[in-house]
Amino acid sequence: MAELKLSVSEMKELLDKMSALGLQKITVAQGDFTFKAEAPQPAQTLCYATDAPVQAVTAQEAHPVAGKPEKPEGNVMKSPIVGTFYSRPAPDKEPFVSVGSKVKKGDVLFIIESMKLMNEITSEFDGEVAEILTEDGQGVEYGQPVMVIR
């Protein structure tokens, strides 16, 4: 068996770049080690359909609400990619987590849809979900705080 020449974080970075670029397949070879990844086929991809109109947010609306701290207390889960936030695996399913849910490192917290790919985002922390900072179906930016875990 070939020796692993890429760290897990390097593999994750490759998968994130693959998703951001809209690539369907990626292969990385180092000596006799080969790392291959392939996006799910369209029949396997989850889809959300909505008739809700898209709303523009003005700069004034984008500022934090008065009385809420600007920097949430606790461990902040940020969006690793640009896309659309979904709290549940499908519109008719229960959310992965809600405020008060106990989570462990590696538990699926939410989905970010990017380039028609559904990316399950897992917890980096053990704890309890204290806040969900984004709404279902809302667009998120790279590095945007999405959830607080204490």
Side-chain angles (χ1 to χ4, degrees), residues 50-113:
T50 180
D51 294 326
V54 175
Q55 264 185 350
V57 177
T58 66
Q60 194 172 28
E61 292 172 324
H63 292 294
V65 177
K68 278 197 168 190
E70 284 199 34
K71 185 174 189 305
E73 291 182 26
N75 297 311
V76 178
M77 286 296 304
K78 297 178 180 179
S79 176
I81 54 177
V82 174
T84 304
F85 169 85
Y86 294 110
S87 63
R88 51 188 85 223
D92 60 338
K93 302 289 183 192
E94 291 297 314
F96 290 106
V97 296
S98 55
V99 173
S101 295
K102 303 280 188 207
V103 295
K104 294 179 186 167
K105 188 174 183 175
D107 288 351
V108 175
L109 299 176
F110 52 89
I111 291 174
I112 301 291
E113 177 187 12

Side-chain angles (χ1 to χ4, degrees), residues 1-145:
M1 182 170 187
E3 181 181 351
L4 180 64
K5 306 250 181 186
L6 289 175
S7 70
V8 173
S9 62
E10 289 172 317
M11 287 182 208
K12 186 175 190 279
E13 186 177 313
L14 283 171
L15 292 173
D16 289 344
K17 286 181 181 180
M18 177 182 145
S19 175
L21 294 171
L23 300 176
Q24 295 298 309
K25 293 181 184 179
I26 189 169
T27 303
V28 177
Q30 279 185 336
D32 58 342
F33 171 75
T34 302
F35 171 76
K36 293 182 182 181
E38 190 170 332
Q41 298 302 315
Q44 298 169 336
T45 303
L46 298 173
C47 287
Y48 284 86
T50 180
D51 294 326
V54 175
Q55 264 185 350
V57 177
T58 66
Q60 194 172 28
E61 292 172 324
H63 292 294
V65 177
K68 278 197 168 190
E70 284 199 34
K71 185 174 189 305
E73 291 182 26
N75 297 311
V76 178
M77 286 296 304
K78 297 178 180 179
S79 176
I81 54 177
V82 174
T84 304
F85 169 85
Y86 294 110
S87 63
R88 51 188 85 223
D92 60 338
K93 302 289 183 192
E94 291 297 314
F96 290 106
V97 296
S98 55
V99 173
S101 295
K102 303 280 188 207
V103 295
K104 294 179 186 167
K105 188 174 183 175
D107 288 351
V108 175
L109 299 176
F110 52 89
I111 291 174
I112 301 291
E113 177 187 12
S114 180
M115 306 292 291
K116 298 188 181 185
L117 293 175
M118 297 299 186
N119 302 280
E120 289 185 342
I121 309 304
T122 58
S123 180
E124 298 170 5
F125 315 102
D126 290 338
E128 181 177 317
V129 176
E131 291 182 74
I132 299 175
L133 305 170
T134 224
E135 304 238 352
D136 212 33
Q138 181 179 356
V140 292
E141 297 294 323
Y142 171 80
Q144 176 180 334

